[in-house]
Amino acid sequence: RVTIDNPCADHRLRARFRLSGNPSSFVTDGPFDWIPRAAGDPAPVPSSQELPVPTHPMNTMAIAPLKQASFGLGGVGLREVELDEGGNLSLTLLRCVGWLSRGDLPNRGREAGPNLPTPGAQGIGVHGFDYAVAFQDPNVPVSEIHRTLEPMLFAPRVTTVTEPCIEDLPLLSVEPASVRLAAVKRAEHDGRLLIRLVGADSGETVEATIKVYGSVRKAWRSDLDERRGEELTPMGQGHDTRVMVPVPPRDVVTLALE
């Protein structure tokens, strides 16, 4: 955790990590994807009205493959990252600006919105930032590192339980580690439990096992519109039910459980 008392306007402050071997690429996560990125400045796009910039958005983490490990960097509410050709991975902490849009920027020759002053966006004052680093075996999909980073970014709360019951058990677990749990929610129009998974960043389709610590009567494939699709067969019984489903790399799979 970094605490900063910022007195300055019109600047960017970043945490920088020098990586060995000058990796030529890295991966950032999105809500439903793992996105490969190249180090350094992107090539210009002839039809674009803006020049490319070397920074990239991320949801919570960026992962760079090194020779002997994968290096993972995760942040809470920190959305901008850059890997330069010298092997420096930079995470933006403060990006202090005073205008909503400007038409005189070197990378964009026109307004992107109203030309309005935004003094509150200068970020003056005390700020706290949480981020974490982790390492992963290079012989497994880089997306497995989320299992190490996420507990550090979102610490669990500890509650004393005097009379344990089934509700105190974990709701579900997902294996293998390369498959990431993206969302768990109730369906909008009924009581089904929706589980959304994201496949690994690369490789082949894997068979994911979702273990639910409760009784599952029926299971279906679903989608972002929460429609009912192919019916799946739950295995096990009682409070140890499992549902298996193939998850392709960089794909989204939604399950509905009753």
Side-chain angles (χ1 to χ4, degrees):
R1 181 168 178 82
V2 175
T3 302
I4 299 168
D5 188 356
N6 175 48
C8 304
D10 299 313
H11 74 108
R12 179 170 56 181
L13 182 68
R14 303 195 280 184
R16 178 165 291 176
F17 301 85
R18 177 73 176 90
L19 305 182
S20 61
N22 292 9
S24 60
S25 64
F26 69 118
V27 174
T28 61
D29 69 330
F32 302 123
D33 200 2
W34 298 97
I35 306 170
R37 312 281 193 182
D41 293 320
V45 179
S47 60
S48 175
Q49 298 184 8
E50 299 182 11
L51 294 177
V53 294
T55 54
H56 300 280
M58 72 175 192
N59 193 40
T60 56
M61 62 188 69
I63 308 161
L66 310 180
K67 290 183 178 180
Q68 297 181 333
S70 293
F71 175 84
L73 171 63
V76 179
L78 303 172
R79 309 296 189 189
E80 183 181 82
V81 68
E82 174 187 351
L83 177 64
D84 64 30
E85 295 178 345
N88 296 302
L89 185 66
S90 299
L91 177 67
T92 299
L93 304 180
L94 285 174
R95 189 172 183 176
C96 306
V97 297
W99 295 84
L100 184 62
S101 175
R102 292 288 295 266
D104 56 355
L105 300 178
N107 66 316
R108 186 179 64 237
R110 66 172 193 169
E111 300 284 359
N115 186 275
L116 297 174
T118 55
Q122 293 287 10
I124 305 299
V126 178
H127 304 272
F129 304 103
D130 291 317
Y131 55 90
V133 299
F135 296 89
Q136 177 73 27
D137 188 324
N139 299 318
V140 300
V142 301
S143 53
E144 285 196 16
I145 206 168
H146 76 89
R147 288 286 179 94
T148 305
L149 279 172
E150 286 174 338
M152 293 191 288
L153 299 176
F154 308 103
R157 294 184 178 182
V158 178
T159 302
T160 300
V161 179
T162 56
E163 297 181 4
C165 58
I166 184 61
E167 287 79 7
D168 300 318
L169 292 174
L171 175 63
L172 58 88
S173 64
V174 179
E175 296 296 341
S178 58
V179 176
R180 189 179 186 187
L181 179 65
V184 177
K185 67 182 291 287
R186 287 292 187 187
E188 296 295 325
H189 303 296
D190 55 35
R192 289 174 299 150
L193 184 69
L194 295 176
I195 299 171
R196 196 156 288 136
L197 307 172
V198 177
D201 65 292
S202 60
E204 300 178 349
T205 297
V206 300
E207 191 84 1
T209 300
I210 299 88
K211 185 176 181 180
V212 182
Y213 295 85
S215 179
V216 176
R217 291 186 293 271
K218 294 183 179 180
W220 301 268
R221 280 181 172 272
S222 187
D223 56 19
L224 295 179
D225 290 327
E226 304 185 2
R227 293 172 291 194
R228 295 196 181 207
E230 173 193 358
E231 188 167 345
L232 303 172
T233 303
M235 296 176 292
Q237 58 184 350
H239 301 304
D240 186 15
T241 307
R242 298 178 304 280
V243 178
M244 301 183 70
V245 63
V247 181
R250 298 191 61 196
D251 201 356
V252 182
V253 172
T254 302
L255 305 179
L257 307 180
E258 182 181 285

